[in-house]
Amino acid sequence: WRLGGQVYTMPGSSECVVEEVGDEVLMSFRIEDLRTSGGCRHMARSIDGGESFPSWYVPSAGPPFEQACVPDPTCQGSLLSLGGGQVVLTSGPTFSVRENLTIHWSTDHGRTFQRLLQINDGTAGYSDLVRLGETSEAWSVGVLAETSSSGNWHSASQIFVAFEVPKPKVACRASATDERRGLNGRG
C-alpha cells in the first residue's frame, strides 16, 4: 500500500470515510472545532482515484432543511454509494447535539443532500451503513448506530435499522412504433 491524497486545507479534520461514486472518490469528514466547521459536514472529491483531494466543500442541504449545509454535531458519519450517483449519509439533524440520527440522501454524487428519514429519537453517536440488497424500485440499506439513554457513551448500546432508498424514476423514451400508436413515451 501507499499513502494517497490528503485534505491539507482543512486542519482538524478526522473520522473520515470514503466511497467510490461513479469514477470519483468522495470523502466525508468531520471537523473537531465547531467554530471552524460551522456545524456542517465537510466533503472532498478526488478525480484521480484518491491520489489527491484538491479542495474540500460543504454540501448543501435542500428540503426539508432549507439550510446552507448538512448539519454535523461533531460526530463520525457513515457514507454509502448506491449507484447512479446516489449516496446516503448519516449525520444528526442539528448542528450541536448528538441525537436523532438522520439519513441524508443525495442524487447528484454527493453535491447536495436532502433528509430521507430519522432513525431514532434521542441520543445517537457513531454509525455504519451497509447495502443489504436491491429491487428494481429501491435499495435496501441498513444502519448500525450507537445510542445511549443516559448520554454516557461508555454504556452505549447499538441499534440496527433497515430502510429503503428509492431508485430514481427513469423517463420512458418513445419508440417510433409507440409514437405511431400515440403513446409518446407513456409506456
Side-chain angles (χ1 to χ4, degrees), residues 90-93 99-103 117-120 122 124-125 127 143 145:
T90 59
S91 192
E99 63 183 18
N100 304 338
L101 186 66
T102 301
I103 304 296
L117 69 129
Q118 182 177 309
I119 296 298
N120 76 317
S127 59
V143 60

Side-chain angles (χ1 to χ4, degrees), residues 15-156:
E15 298 178 346
C16 305
V17 62
V18 296
E19 274 288 311
E20 284 185 295
V21 181
D23 58 355
E24 300 175 337
V25 175
L26 184 62
M27 178 193 302
S28 172
F29 55 94
R30 74 176 189 141
I31 306 299
E32 297 291 335
D33 185 350
L34 188 60
R35 293 169 302 186
T36 304
S37 74
C40 299
R41 176 69 51 188
H42 287 65
M43 295 192 168
R45 186 175 305 281
S46 173
I47 58 172
D48 59 11
E51 292 291 321
S52 65
F53 290 89
S55 62
W56 58 271
Y57 68 99
V58 175
S60 63
F65 291 119
E66 300 304 336
Q67 297 172 333
C69 67
V70 174
D72 178 20
T74 313
C75 186
Q76 173 270 357
S78 186
L79 182 69
L80 180 66
S81 176
L82 297 171
Q86 295 209 88
V87 179
V88 287
L89 166 72
T90 59
S91 192
T94 69
F95 296 101
S96 59
V97 181
R98 292 182 178 188
E99 63 183 18
N100 304 338
L101 186 66
T102 301
I103 304 296
H104 305 271
W105 174 36
S106 174
T107 58
D108 62 3
H109 297 85
R111 289 172 177 78
T112 62
F113 284 84
Q114 60 186 329
R115 180 180 171 161
L116 182 63
L117 69 129
Q118 182 177 309
I119 296 298
N120 76 317
D121 290 319
T123 305
Y126 288 22
S127 59
D128 193 29
L129 291 161
V130 62
R131 183 161 56 178
L132 301 171
E134 71 179 282
T135 67
S136 60
E137 302 290 318
W139 285 281
S140 179
V141 176
V143 60
L144 177 67
E146 64 179 351
T147 63
S148 172
S149 59
S150 67
N152 179 354
W153 295 112
H154 297 291
S155 62

